[in-house]
Amino acid sequence: EGITTIGARAFIRMNQVLSISLPSTLQHIKTYAFDNCSSLKSVFIPEGVRSIGYCAFQNCSALEFVSMPNSLREIGVAAFWSCQSLDNVWWYRQ
């Protein structure tokens, strides 16, 4: 029991968010979920997440770090489009 999906456009333009650590029950991040979160610097995606939707993190211009789990099976087109600060993606194993 718990949150399994971050819905489409759920956190769009939440400019005050600097970092997110998602719940361990999460399985899906839908389209545009964090679009235009211009202050977001890091995202920790837990093991169990299977999909990241189309443009989910687009225009997160301050995003520098993303952790990706082995459970991830699908990353949508342009999921990290225009994330010009992104230079560190970390894939991990449990």
Side-chain angles (χ1 to χ4, degrees), residues 13-44:
R13 293 186 184 94
M14 297 287 286
N15 295 324
Q16 67 275 21
V17 176
L18 300 177
S19 177
I20 54 174
S21 189
L22 301 167
S24 62
T25 55
L26 192 64
Q27 296 177 12
H28 307 283
I29 299 171
K30 296 293 186 176
T31 60
Y32 299 99
F34 295 95
D35 178 24
N36 243 321
C37 290
S38 60
S39 298
L40 183 62
K41 289 190 171 210
S42 61
V43 178
F44 299 90

Side-chain angles (χ1 to χ4, degrees), residues 66-77:
V66 177
S67 68
M68 300 281 201
N70 282 331
S71 58
L72 196 57
R73 298 293 176 253
E74 178 183 343
I75 299 175
V77 173

